[in-house]
PDB file of all heavy atoms in Angstrom:
ATOM      1  N   LEU A 167       0.851  -1.184   0.027  1.00 96.00           N
ATOM      2  CA  LEU A 167      -0.009   0.018  -0.005  1.00 96.00           C
ATOM      3  C   LEU A 167       0.910   1.207  -0.010  1.00 96.00           C
ATOM      4  O   LEU A 167       1.695   1.437   0.922  1.00 96.00           O
ATOM      5  CB  LEU A 167      -0.920  -0.005   1.245  1.00 96.00           C
ATOM      6  CG  LEU A 167      -1.760  -1.232   1.407  1.00 96.00           C
ATOM      7  CD1 LEU A 167      -2.523  -1.202   2.720  1.00 96.00           C
ATOM      8  CD2 LEU A 167      -2.735  -1.402   0.265  1.00 96.00           C
ATOM      9  N   THR A 168       0.822   2.013  -1.028  1.00 95.00           N
ATOM     10  CA  THR A 168       1.799   3.043  -1.261  1.00 95.00           C
ATOM     11  C   THR A 168       1.273   4.442  -0.792  1.00 95.00           C
ATOM     12  O   THR A 168       0.208   4.581  -0.295  1.00 95.00           O
ATOM     13  CB  THR A 168       2.150   3.151  -2.775  1.00 95.00           C
ATOM     14  OG1 THR A 168       0.958   3.560  -3.489  1.00 95.00           O
ATOM     15  CG2 THR A 168       2.612   1.791  -3.321  1.00 95.00           C
ATOM     16  N   ALA A 169       2.173   5.434  -0.969  1.00 92.00           N
ATOM     17  CA  ALA A 169       1.845   6.799  -0.638  1.00 92.00           C
ATOM     18  C   ALA A 169       2.744   7.738  -1.496  1.00 92.00           C
ATOM     19  O   ALA A 169       3.748   7.224  -2.057  1.00 92.00           O
ATOM     20  CB  ALA A 169       2.106   7.097   0.857  1.00 92.00           C
ATOM     21  N   PRO A 170       2.384   8.958  -1.653  1.00 92.00           N
ATOM     22  CA  PRO A 170       3.300   9.877  -2.389  1.00 92.00           C
ATOM     23  C   PRO A 170       4.686   9.846  -1.756  1.00 92.00           C
ATOM     24  O   PRO A 170       4.859   9.967  -0.559  1.00 92.00           O
ATOM     25  CB  PRO A 170       2.609  11.240  -2.193  1.00 92.00           C
ATOM     26  CG  PRO A 170       1.161  10.949  -2.034  1.00 92.00           C
ATOM     27  CD  PRO A 170       1.129   9.656  -1.254  1.00 92.00           C
ATOM     28  N   GLY A 171       5.677   9.651  -2.568  1.00 92.00           N
ATOM     29  CA  GLY A 171       7.065   9.532  -2.121  1.00 92.00           C
ATOM     30  C   GLY A 171       7.469   8.132  -1.682  1.00 92.00           C
ATOM     31  O   GLY A 171       8.574   7.913  -1.353  1.00 92.00           O
ATOM     32  N   ALA A 172       6.472   7.259  -1.695  1.00 94.00           N
ATOM     33  CA  ALA A 172       6.747   5.832  -1.355  1.00 94.00           C
ATOM     34  C   ALA A 172       5.907   4.993  -2.303  1.00 94.00           C
ATOM     35  O   ALA A 172       5.067   4.171  -1.817  1.00 94.00           O
ATOM     36  CB  ALA A 172       6.465   5.559   0.067  1.00 94.00           C
ATOM     37  N   GLY A 173       6.115   5.160  -3.595  1.00 95.00           N
ATOM     38  CA  GLY A 173       5.254   4.484  -4.553  1.00 95.00           C
ATOM     39  C   GLY A 173       6.018   3.580  -5.469  1.00 95.00           C
ATOM     40  O   GLY A 173       7.150   3.061  -5.106  1.00 95.00           O
ATOM     41  N   PRO A 174       5.517   3.243  -6.639  1.00 96.00           N
ATOM     42  CA  PRO A 174       6.152   2.275  -7.546  1.00 96.00           C
ATOM     43  C   PRO A 174       7.584   2.686  -7.918  1.00 96.00           C
ATOM     44  O   PRO A 174       8.454   1.780  -7.985  1.00 96.00           O
ATOM     45  CB  PRO A 174       5.243   2.281  -8.764  1.00 96.00           C
ATOM     46  CG  PRO A 174       3.921   2.711  -8.270  1.00 96.00           C
ATOM     47  CD  PRO A 174       4.195   3.695  -7.157  1.00 96.00           C
ATOM     48  N   ALA A 175       7.808   3.980  -8.194  1.00 96.00           N
ATOM     49  CA  ALA A 175       9.196   4.400  -8.650  1.00 96.00           C
ATOM     50  C   ALA A 175      10.168   4.202  -7.499  1.00 96.00           C
ATOM     51  O   ALA A 175      11.290   3.715  -7.732  1.00 96.00           O
ATOM     52  CB  ALA A 175       9.124   5.850  -9.021  1.00 96.00           C
ATOM     53  N   GLU A 176       9.801   4.579  -6.259  1.00 95.00           N
ATOM     54  CA  GLU A 176      10.697   4.407  -5.147  1.00 95.00           C
ATOM     55  C   GLU A 176      10.953   2.920  -4.820  1.00 95.00           C
ATOM     56  O   GLU A 176      12.081   2.510  -4.534  1.00 95.00           O
ATOM     57  CB  GLU A 176      10.155   5.118  -3.888  1.00 95.00           C
ATOM     58  CG  GLU A 176      10.179   6.628  -3.945  1.00 95.00           C
ATOM     59  CD  GLU A 176       9.049   7.172  -4.805  1.00 95.00           C
ATOM     60  OE1 GLU A 176       8.088   6.458  -5.140  1.00 95.00           O
ATOM     61  OE2 GLU A 176       9.088   8.388  -5.102  1.00 95.00           O
ATOM     62  N   LEU A 177       9.903   2.103  -4.910  1.00 95.00           N
ATOM     63  CA  LEU A 177      10.076   0.659  -4.784  1.00 95.00           C
ATOM     64  C   LEU A 177      11.034   0.108  -5.843  1.00 95.00           C
ATOM     65  O   LEU A 177      11.945  -0.718  -5.564  1.00 95.00           O
ATOM     66  CB  LEU A 177       8.755  -0.067  -4.862  1.00 95.00           C
ATOM     67  CG  LEU A 177       7.959  -0.132  -3.592  1.00 95.00           C
ATOM     68  CD1 LEU A 177       6.526  -0.712  -3.936  1.00 95.00           C
ATOM     69  CD2 LEU A 177       8.551  -1.000  -2.532  1.00 95.00           C
ATOM     70  N   GLY A 178      10.798   0.524  -7.070  1.00 95.00           N
ATOM     71  CA  GLY A 178      11.646   0.022  -8.186  1.00 95.00           C
ATOM     72  C   GLY A 178      13.119   0.391  -8.001  1.00 95.00           C
ATOM     73  O   GLY A 178      13.991  -0.443  -8.197  1.00 95.00           O
ATOM     74  N   ARG A 179      13.358   1.653  -7.524  1.00 94.00           N
ATOM     75  CA  ARG A 179      14.782   2.030  -7.307  1.00 94.00           C
ATOM     76  C   ARG A 179      15.409   1.211  -6.207  1.00 94.00           C
ATOM     77  O   ARG A 179      16.626   0.879  -6.298  1.00 94.00           O
ATOM     78  CB  ARG A 179      14.860   3.548  -6.958  1.00 94.00           C
ATOM     79  CG  ARG A 179      14.812   4.470  -8.162  1.00 94.00           C
ATOM     80  CD  ARG A 179      15.181   5.830  -7.809  1.00 94.00           C
ATOM     81  NE  ARG A 179      14.095   6.517  -7.076  1.00 94.00           N
ATOM     82  CZ  ARG A 179      13.120   7.177  -7.708  1.00 94.00           C
ATOM     83  NH1 ARG A 179      13.057   7.239  -9.009  1.00 94.00           N
ATOM     84  NH2 ARG A 179      12.233   7.747  -6.977  1.00 94.00           N
ATOM     85  N   ALA A 180      14.642   0.873  -5.175  1.00 93.00           N
ATOM     86  CA  ALA A 180      15.224   0.126  -4.084  1.00 93.00           C
ATOM     87  C   ALA A 180      15.473  -1.306  -4.417  1.00 93.00           C
ATOM     88  O   ALA A 180      16.420  -1.974  -3.949  1.00 93.00           O
ATOM     89  CB  ALA A 180      14.287   0.205  -2.863  1.00 93.00           C
ATOM     90  N   LEU A 181      14.606  -1.873  -5.291  1.00 92.00           N
ATOM     91  CA  LEU A 181      14.673  -3.343  -5.593  1.00 92.00           C
ATOM     92  C   LEU A 181      15.574  -3.629  -6.787  1.00 92.00           C
ATOM     93  O   LEU A 181      16.152  -4.715  -6.908  1.00 92.00           O
ATOM     94  CB  LEU A 181      13.354  -3.911  -5.795  1.00 92.00           C
ATOM     95  CG  LEU A 181      12.436  -3.992  -4.586  1.00 92.00           C
ATOM     96  CD1 LEU A 181      10.981  -4.376  -4.965  1.00 92.00           C
ATOM     97  CD2 LEU A 181      12.985  -4.956  -3.574  1.00 92.00           C
ATOM     98  N   PHE A 182      15.691  -2.706  -7.740  1.00 86.00           N
ATOM     99  CA  PHE A 182      16.528  -2.959  -8.937  1.00 86.00           C
ATOM    100  C   PHE A 182      17.963  -3.107  -8.538  1.00 86.00           C
ATOM    101  O   PHE A 182      18.456  -2.407  -7.742  1.00 86.00           O
ATOM    102  CB  PHE A 182      16.367  -1.761  -9.938  1.00 86.00           C
ATOM    103  CG  PHE A 182      17.199  -1.905 -11.169  1.00 86.00           C
ATOM    104  CD1 PHE A 182      16.790  -2.815 -12.179  1.00 86.00           C
ATOM    105  CD2 PHE A 182      18.350  -1.163 -11.339  1.00 86.00           C
ATOM    106  CE1 PHE A 182      17.533  -2.890 -13.328  1.00 86.00           C
ATOM    107  CE2 PHE A 182      19.117  -1.304 -12.471  1.00 86.00           C
ATOM    108  CZ  PHE A 182      18.685  -2.182 -13.455  1.00 86.00           C
ATOM    109  N   PRO A 183      18.734  -4.137  -9.057  1.00 78.00           N
ATOM    110  CA  PRO A 183      18.348  -5.053 -10.129  1.00 78.00           C
ATOM    111  C   PRO A 183      17.968  -6.401  -9.580  1.00 78.00           C
ATOM    112  O   PRO A 183      18.349  -7.439 -10.224  1.00 78.00           O
ATOM    113  CB  PRO A 183      19.649  -5.110 -10.913  1.00 78.00           C
ATOM    114  CG  PRO A 183      20.698  -5.085  -9.863  1.00 78.00           C
ATOM    115  CD  PRO A 183      20.186  -4.211  -8.766  1.00 78.00           C
ATOM    116  N   GLN A 184      17.270  -6.478  -8.474  1.00 64.00           N
ATOM    117  CA  GLN A 184      16.864  -7.774  -7.972  1.00 64.00           C
ATOM    118  C   GLN A 184      15.935  -8.461  -8.982  1.00 64.00           C
ATOM    119  O   GLN A 184      15.119  -7.799  -9.661  1.00 64.00           O
ATOM    120  CB  GLN A 184      16.136  -7.641  -6.664  1.00 64.00           C
ATOM    121  CG  GLN A 184      17.036  -7.305  -5.481  1.00 64.00           C
ATOM    122  CD  GLN A 184      16.299  -7.288  -4.199  1.00 64.00           C
ATOM    123  OE1 GLN A 184      15.398  -6.470  -4.047  1.00 64.00           O
ATOM    124  NE2 GLN A 184      16.701  -8.124  -3.268  1.00 64.00           N
ATOM    125  N   HIS A 185      16.056  -9.763  -9.113  1.00 60.00           N
ATOM    126  CA  HIS A 185      15.229 -10.434 -10.085  1.00 60.00           C
ATOM    127  C   HIS A 185      15.131 -11.958  -9.662  1.00 60.00           C
ATOM    128  O   HIS A 185      16.047 -12.407  -8.917  1.00 60.00           O
ATOM    129  CB  HIS A 185      15.783 -10.339 -11.504  1.00 60.00           C
ATOM    130  CG  HIS A 185      17.156 -10.931 -11.686  1.00 60.00           C
ATOM    131  ND1 HIS A 185      18.320 -10.254 -11.298  1.00 60.00           N
ATOM    132  CD2 HIS A 185      17.556 -12.114 -12.107  1.00 60.00           C
ATOM    133  CE1 HIS A 185      19.347 -11.047 -11.509  1.00 60.00           C
ATOM    134  NE2 HIS A 185      18.909 -12.180 -12.015  1.00 60.00           N
ATOM    135  N   PRO A 186      14.148 -12.672 -10.043  1.00 71.00           N
ATOM    136  CA  PRO A 186      13.021 -12.174 -10.876  1.00 71.00           C
ATOM    137  C   PRO A 186      11.973 -11.491 -10.021  1.00 71.00           C
ATOM    138  O   PRO A 186      11.612 -12.023  -8.984  1.00 71.00           O
ATOM    139  CB  PRO A 186      12.487 -13.473 -11.513  1.00 71.00           C
ATOM    140  CG  PRO A 186      12.811 -14.532 -10.483  1.00 71.00           C
ATOM    141  CD  PRO A 186      14.088 -14.112  -9.845  1.00 71.00           C
ATOM    142  N   ARG A 187      11.606 -10.317 -10.426  1.00 88.00           N
ATOM    143  CA  ARG A 187      10.497  -9.602  -9.770  1.00 88.00           C
ATOM    144  C   ARG A 187       9.645  -8.901 -10.838  1.00 88.00           C
ATOM    145  O   ARG A 187      10.167  -8.368 -11.815  1.00 88.00           O
ATOM    146  CB  ARG A 187      11.064  -8.488  -8.818  1.00 88.00           C
ATOM    147  CG  ARG A 187      11.559  -9.009  -7.477  1.00 88.00           C
ATOM    148  CD  ARG A 187      10.390  -9.585  -6.638  1.00 88.00           C
ATOM    149  NE  ARG A 187      10.790  -9.986  -5.307  1.00 88.00           N
ATOM    150  CZ  ARG A 187      11.183 -11.186  -4.934  1.00 88.00           C
ATOM    151  NH1 ARG A 187      11.264 -12.125  -5.906  1.00 88.00           N
ATOM    152  NH2 ARG A 187      11.506 -11.486  -3.748  1.00 88.00           N
ATOM    153  N   THR A 188       8.373  -9.001 -10.636  1.00 94.00           N
ATOM    154  CA  THR A 188       7.430  -8.354 -11.519  1.00 94.00           C
ATOM    155  C   THR A 188       6.543  -7.382 -10.650  1.00 94.00           C
ATOM    156  O   THR A 188       6.104  -7.796  -9.583  1.00 94.00           O
ATOM    157  CB  THR A 188       6.525  -9.345 -12.218  1.00 94.00           C
ATOM    158  OG1 THR A 188       7.323 -10.189 -13.054  1.00 94.00           O
ATOM    159  CG2 THR A 188       5.503  -8.638 -13.108  1.00 94.00           C
ATOM    160  N   PHE A 189       6.331  -6.159 -11.128  1.00 97.00           N
ATOM    161  CA  PHE A 189       5.410  -5.266 -10.513  1.00 97.00           C
ATOM    162  C   PHE A 189       4.056  -5.332 -11.205  1.00 97.00           C
ATOM    163  O   PHE A 189       3.992  -5.381 -12.453  1.00 97.00           O
ATOM    164  CB  PHE A 189       5.913  -3.820 -10.558  1.00 97.00           C
ATOM    165  CG  PHE A 189       6.990  -3.448  -9.586  1.00 97.00           C
ATOM    166  CD1 PHE A 189       7.576  -4.411  -8.807  1.00 97.00           C
ATOM    167  CD2 PHE A 189       7.346  -2.134  -9.450  1.00 97.00           C
ATOM    168  CE1 PHE A 189       8.571  -4.089  -7.894  1.00 97.00           C
ATOM    169  CE2 PHE A 189       8.326  -1.758  -8.583  1.00 97.00           C
ATOM    170  CZ  PHE A 189       8.946  -2.726  -7.818  1.00 97.00           C
ATOM    171  N   VAL A 190       2.975  -5.389 -10.476  1.00 97.00           N
ATOM    172  CA  VAL A 190       1.657  -5.113 -10.964  1.00 97.00           C
ATOM    173  C   VAL A 190       1.161  -3.887 -10.282  1.00 97.00           C
ATOM    174  O   VAL A 190       0.863  -3.884  -9.104  1.00 97.00           O
ATOM    175  CB  VAL A 190       0.658  -6.301 -10.729  1.00 97.00           C
ATOM    176  CG1 VAL A 190      -0.668  -5.961 -11.299  1.00 97.00           C
ATOM    177  CG2 VAL A 190       1.218  -7.587 -11.347  1.00 97.00           C
ATOM    178  N   VAL A 191       1.193  -2.745 -10.977  1.00 98.00           N
ATOM    179  CA  VAL A 191       0.836  -1.491 -10.437  1.00 98.00           C
ATOM    180  C   VAL A 191      -0.667  -1.210 -10.751  1.00 98.00           C
ATOM    181  O   VAL A 191      -1.049  -1.155 -11.911  1.00 98.00           O
ATOM    182  CB  VAL A 191       1.688  -0.337 -10.974  1.00 98.00           C
ATOM    183  CG1 VAL A 191       1.311   0.975 -10.329  1.00 98.00           C
ATOM    184  CG2 VAL A 191       3.187  -0.621 -10.775  1.00 98.00           C
ATOM    185  N   CYS A 192      -1.459  -1.035  -9.699  1.00 97.00           N
ATOM    186  CA  CYS A 192      -2.880  -0.817  -9.889  1.00 97.00           C
ATOM    187  C   CYS A 192      -3.226   0.597  -9.433  1.00 97.00           C
ATOM    188  O   CYS A 192      -3.201   0.872  -8.204  1.00 97.00           O
ATOM    189  CB  CYS A 192      -3.650  -1.866  -9.037  1.00 97.00           C
ATOM    190  SG  CYS A 192      -3.301  -3.594  -9.451  1.00 97.00           S
ATOM    191  N   GLU A 193      -3.577   1.464 -10.405  1.00 95.00           N
ATOM    192  CA  GLU A 193      -3.855   2.866 -10.125  1.00 95.00           C
ATOM    193  C   GLU A 193      -5.380   3.080 -10.070  1.00 95.00           C
ATOM    194  O   GLU A 193      -6.154   2.540 -10.904  1.00 95.00           O
ATOM    195  CB  GLU A 193      -3.238   3.739 -11.189  1.00 95.00           C
ATOM    196  CG  GLU A 193      -1.759   3.635 -11.321  1.00 95.00           C
ATOM    197  CD  GLU A 193      -1.210   4.456 -12.457  1.00 95.00           C
ATOM    198  OE1 GLU A 193      -1.745   4.260 -13.632  1.00 95.00           O
ATOM    199  OE2 GLU A 193      -0.311   5.249 -12.272  1.00 95.00           O
ATOM    200  N   ASP A 194      -5.808   3.926  -9.080  1.00 90.00           N
ATOM    201  CA  ASP A 194      -7.191   4.382  -8.996  1.00 90.00           C
ATOM    202  C   ASP A 194      -8.175   3.222  -9.171  1.00 90.00           C
ATOM    203  O   ASP A 194      -9.109   3.299 -10.011  1.00 90.00           O
ATOM    204  CB  ASP A 194      -7.455   5.477 -10.092  1.00 90.00           C
ATOM    205  CG  ASP A 194      -8.817   6.160  -9.857  1.00 90.00           C
ATOM    206  OD1 ASP A 194      -9.250   6.260  -8.703  1.00 90.00           O
ATOM    207  OD2 ASP A 194      -9.377   6.632 -10.818  1.00 90.00           O
TER     208      ASP A 194
END
């Protein structure tokens, strides 16, 4: 459950280049 400043982009920066990982981003 995200928030402004703690969303998909911030998660991606923290986890890259870990793999295998897939994001399913569900907006609105």
Side-chain angles (χ1 to χ4, degrees):
L167 303 176
T168 65
E176 290 79 12
L177 275 172
R179 277 192 286 272
L181 291 171
F182 179 75
Q184 287 184 300
H185 62 279
R187 282 293 186 268
T188 298
F189 281 9
V190 181
V191 183
C192 302
E193 300 174 309
D194 192 27

